[in-house]
Every structure is written in C-alpha cells, then in structure tokens.
Amino acid sequence: MAIMDADYLVIGGCGFLGQHLCERLLERGYSVRVFDIRKTFENEKITFIIGDLCKKEDLMAAIQGVSCVFHCASPSPLSNNRELFHKVNVEGTKLLIQLCKWAGVQRLVLTSSASVVYEGKDIKGGHEDLPYAAQPIDAYTETKIMQEQIVLAANTKDFYTCAVRPHGIFGPRDPHLLPTAVDLARRGKFKFIIGDGKNLVDFTYIDNVVHGHILASENLGGGSVVCGKAYNITNDEPIYFWTFMTQIVTGMGYDAPKYHLPYLLVYFIAVFLMLISRLLSPFCHFIPSFTPMKVALAGTHHFYLCDRAKKDMKYKPLVSLDDGIRKTIESFERLKNGGEGDS
Ligand SMILES: NC(=O)C1=CN([C@@H]2O[C@H](COP(=O)(O)OP(=O)(O)OC[C@H]3O[C@@H](n4cnc5c(N)ncnc54)[C@H](O)[C@@H]3O)[C@@H](O)[C@H]2O)C=CC1
Ligand SMILES: CC(C)CCC[C@@H](C)[C@H]1CC[C@H]2C3=C(CC[C@]12C)[C@@]1(C)CCC(=O)[C@@H](C)[C@@H]1CC3
C-alpha cells in the first residue's frame, strides 16, 4: 500500500527522544513518519512503520518519499550487548545511508553522543574538535564513535549530513536516567557519593535536545555551514553530578546520599566486579549495578561547550535545568516513593 510522503522520517521514533521529537515536529506543522522496531504510542497524524533498521526490506518500506531523516535509534546505552550495539549502531547506520541515497533522501541528522570524546577522564568545557576517544568508556560509546564517523563522512554535495551530540538527557518518559537512579535508591544503593561530589556534568532537558535536532535539520542543506559537522547540544548549565542526582532522588521521595567514598576505590571495585561478571557469564547472568562507565560518569568532570550550535544555528536552551528537573519529577508520580512503582 502506497504511503503518504512526509517531511520527516524519525528512526527510533517510538523511543524517549524520538517520541518527543515527533510531537514537536507535528506542533511545527511538519508531516512525520516513524520507523521503529516496536510501537509505544498512538498518534493518528503519524504513519508508523514497524521494522528493524538492520533489515533492508524493512527500511526500504519506510525510506521512500521523505525529505529528512532523524536517526535516533540505538539499543539502550545501559544494556550490555556489544554485538547488538555494533549491529544496530554501525551496520544499521551503514544500511540507512545506502538506502537514503537509493531513495533520494537529501538530509540525515544523526543523534550521536557527547561521550564520543570522553575516556573516563575530566573534560571541562569540551568542544567538538576534541579527538574521538581512543579508549571509549564502553561498547556503546565505541559504536557511537563509529556511527558518527560514518554519517559525517557520508556528507556530499547531494546528500547532507550532520550529528547532534546530547549529554545526559532527562525529562518526562525518560527510560534510562531517572528510573535507574530511583531503582538504586529503592534498593538502598544510593547512600554514597562517589568522590568529593564536586564534579561538574551536563544534564540536558529533553525539550532542548529536541530543539537542537530541529534547528540542525532546518539549517542543513546545500552549501550550509552545518553540513558534515557535529554539534554539542546541552543545557549550557553544568551542575555538580551529585547535586543533580540528589535533587532527582529526593524529589522522588528518597533520602539524599550522605557518605563519601573515594572515587578510585569505587572505580576499581567496579572494574573487579565487571571482570567477575565476565568470568561467570557462561554460568550465570550477573550485571553489577555500578559499572565502570557509570562510576566514571558519576565521579569525573564532563561538560561541553555548545558555542558552535549557538553560532551556526542560533541554538539556545528553551528550558532551564531547574524547570526541567521540576517538570521531570512532576511527570514521574508513579515512581515516587510509595507510588505504584513500589508495588
Ligand atoms: N538518553 C541519553 O541520555 C542519551 C541518548 N543519546 C542517543 O539518543 C538516541 C535516542 O536515545 P533514547 O531516546 O534515550 O533511547 P530509547 O531507547 O528510548 O530509544 C531508542 C529507540 O530506538 C529503537 N530501536 C533500537 N534498535 C532498533 C532497530 N534495530 N530498528 C529500529 N528501531 C530500533 C528502540 O525501539 C527505541 O524506541 C540514541 O541514539 C542514543 O544513543 C545520546 C546522548 C544521551
Ligand atoms: C548514581 C549512579 C552511579 C548513576 C545513576 C544514574 C545513571 C543511570 C545516569 C547518570 C548519568 C547518565 C548518563 C547516561 C545514561 C544514564 C546515566 C549513566 C548516558 C550514558 C546515556 C547515553 C549517552 O550517550 C551518554 C552521553 C549518557 C551520559 C550520562
């Protein structure tokens, strides 16, 4: 059955970022098509095509008759599946580029990650020209680096690409950050502050990430300065990691962490537990709560400049961190201490 042409195809459009992006595109009067391996919401204005980014026949059905593609699909960054990361983020992205060119799609905006330059050591005011991490913090980030390189290298005079690098996205319907933090707090594993608690980090409210993506797509085109470039998109308000996390968990009705633990001690315990997990993997599935990636993110400075986005696409955050935290906590009533999530 022929499907209507659309201004945008959102790959991964049933995810946290994807659904918010679709809602904002519709508000701005664009026509939207979603391609995702699952369906998580209904909207009569959206054409949904359910399929696997890694399957050519699935993607061919979705890619024709669109002007711009947002590629937001990825396995969960908190999953532990190296093979799946590579299959979707690398092989799936290669297939997408091949089919974009086949179908005559002109613009591709990739959702990359600010962590593509992060090696678990302090980054204060990181800019986009920092080198890609030679030792990425995990398999997810390794494949995000490869993915971004593939997309930016695909930019030509007829096919325009760019990458948006968000960091620590939070907001209503976040499936990663807030639910993980609340789960740790509920299990009594949120009593300790890793390190001195004074490491500055970017957390980015979902509406600002969506805004950055739409600006990127609207500025992407023949001869545009945006072509072939990556853009950090943050709230432009670095905050102490533990101040942010404390506001989230106390807002959700749990106690604030009180005691400090030395960063290096926790990091090496996390590495030891990861090695034990790998040794035991043939016999049992044991995933430590505190992985080296999470500990590094929780105990080092890592915040980024979005000056390039401000200059090239007039980006500025729409929602402040304080307002974003308030809106997020209000949206997660069901997970509050004593809420239905406790059942
Ligand atoms: N959540 C965060 O803090 C950050 C996320 N990102 C990136 O933003 C993008 C969106 O992330 P979220 O919305 O948080 O994740 P999410 O897990 O909510 O959404 C990802 C979507 O991709 C879909 N998907 C996965 N594999 C697929 C496949 N083979 N075929 C079709 N669809 C597939 C999933 O079904 C899901 O709906 C990802 O590329 C992620 O790497 C980047 C920086 C930070
Ligand atoms: C207290 C615990 C040690 C941490 C609990 C919260 C964590 C689950 C989040 C804190 C920082 C978040 C984060 C990401 C996922 C969730 C956290 C680790 C990402 C890895 C998601 C994907 C990305 O691309 C990165 C840029 C994010 C970095 C921050």
Side-chain angles (χ1 to χ4, degrees):
M1 179 184 75
I3 54 176
M4 295 272 287
D5 286 1
D7 298 314
Y8 287 98
L9 170 63
V10 183
I11 297 182
C14 287
F16 168 42
L17 170 58
Q19 187 177 347
H20 279 277
L21 184 54
C22 290
E23 290 162 354
R24 208 68 60 248
L25 288 169
L26 291 175
E27 283 172 9
R28 292 170 70 104
Y30 290 114
S31 51
V32 178
R33 186 186 299 171
V34 162
F35 179 82
D36 201 304
I37 204 165
R38 60 179 184 155
K39 188 170 184 184
T40 59
F41 70 103
E42 297 293 341
N43 186 313
E44 60 187 17
K45 294 179 183 174
I46 294 175
T47 304
F48 291 89
I49 297 177
I50 303 308
D52 184 343
L53 171 63
C54 305
K55 291 182 179 168
K56 189 171 188 176
E57 62 279 8
D58 291 359
L59 198 47
M60 285 176 77
I63 198 79
Q64 297 181 77
V66 296
S67 168
C68 182
V69 172
F70 283 115
H71 180 7
C72 310
S74 168
S76 167
L78 300 180
S79 65
N80 199 25
N81 190 330
R82 175 182 293 272
E83 291 70 29
L84 188 60
F85 285 138
H86 194 273
K87 178 171 174 263
V88 178
N89 290 348
V90 179
E91 297 310 317
T93 301
K94 286 178 183 174
L95 177 61
L96 171 62
I97 290 170
Q98 178 194 338
L99 293 183
C100 278
K101 294 182 176 179
W102 166 78
V105 173
Q106 279 205 312
R107 292 175 291 150
L108 170 60
V109 177
L110 169 69
T111 308
S112 180
S113 166
S115 284
V116 296
V117 298
Y118 177 65
E119 295 192 317
K121 303 181 186 76
D122 288 347
I123 292 182
K124 298 179 183 178
H127 54 77
E128 293 87 349
D129 291 332
L130 286 175
Y132 289 114
Q135 294 177 324
I137 53 172
D138 60 6
Y140 159 82
T141 309
E142 185 180 334
T143 59
K144 292 298 284 188
I145 292 170
M146 296 165 75
Q147 180 185 57
E148 182 181 296
Q149 291 173 322
I150 290 162
V151 167
L152 296 185
N155 183 69
T156 65
K157 61 180 176 47
D158 307 310
F159 179 52
Y160 315 118
T161 69
C162 69
V164 172
R165 293 179 177 178
H167 191 279
I169 309 176
F170 72 101
R173 306 193 295 256
D174 158 29
H176 309 301
L177 191 159
L178 186 141
T180 303
V182 166
D183 181 56
L184 288 168
R186 180 177 292 132
R187 291 188 290 132
K189 295 191 171 187
F190 216 89
K191 291 182 170 43
F192 302 103
I193 291 172
I194 300 170
D196 64 5
K198 300 298 184 198
N199 53 307
L200 285 169
V201 172
D202 278 320
F203 289 98
T204 315
Y205 187 63
I206 186 67
D207 288 7
N208 299 325
V209 179
V210 167
H211 180 49
H213 277 72
I214 294 175
L215 282 177
S217 71
E218 291 176 340
N219 284 274
L220 184 61
S224 153
V225 66
V226 169
C227 293
K229 286 164 77 173
Y231 290 88
N232 292 329
I233 292 293
T234 74
N235 249 75
D236 211 16
E237 295 178 80
I239 183 173
Y240 290 139
F241 178 93
W242 291 94
T243 299
F244 177 86
M245 295 312 301
T246 296
Q247 288 182 23
I248 293 290
V249 295
T250 53
M252 296 301 290
Y254 293 92
D255 292 337
K258 293 188 181 68
Y259 314 105
H260 290 260
L261 285 177
Y263 170 72
L264 285 176
L265 171 66
V266 180
Y267 185 81
F268 287 115
I269 290 171
V271 170
F272 175 72
L273 290 175
M274 179 185 69
L275 295 174
I276 295 292
S277 163
R278 287 183 182 170
L279 282 171
L280 294 176
S281 59
F283 314 103
C284 73
H285 191 61
F286 150 64
I287 301 287
S289 299
F290 291 86
T291 59
M293 174 270 278
K294 284 181 188 162
V295 172
L297 289 167
T300 61
H301 294 277
H302 45 106
F303 59 94
Y304 304 88
L305 299 176
C306 35
D307 293 357
R308 180 185 282 181
K310 292 175 186 173
K311 176 172 174 283
D312 290 0
M313 51 178 95
K314 306 285 183 286
Y315 169 76
K316 63 178 182 179
L318 300 176
V319 180
S320 71
L321 211 53
D322 285 343
D323 286 347
I325 291 169
R326 176 179 50 77
K327 290 168 182 265
T328 302
I329 289 167
E330 285 170 0
S331 75
F332 274 99
E333 277 301 324
R334 61 182 174 79
L335 282 185
K336 283 192 173 171
N337 195 357
E340 70 184 50
D342 279 339
S343 54

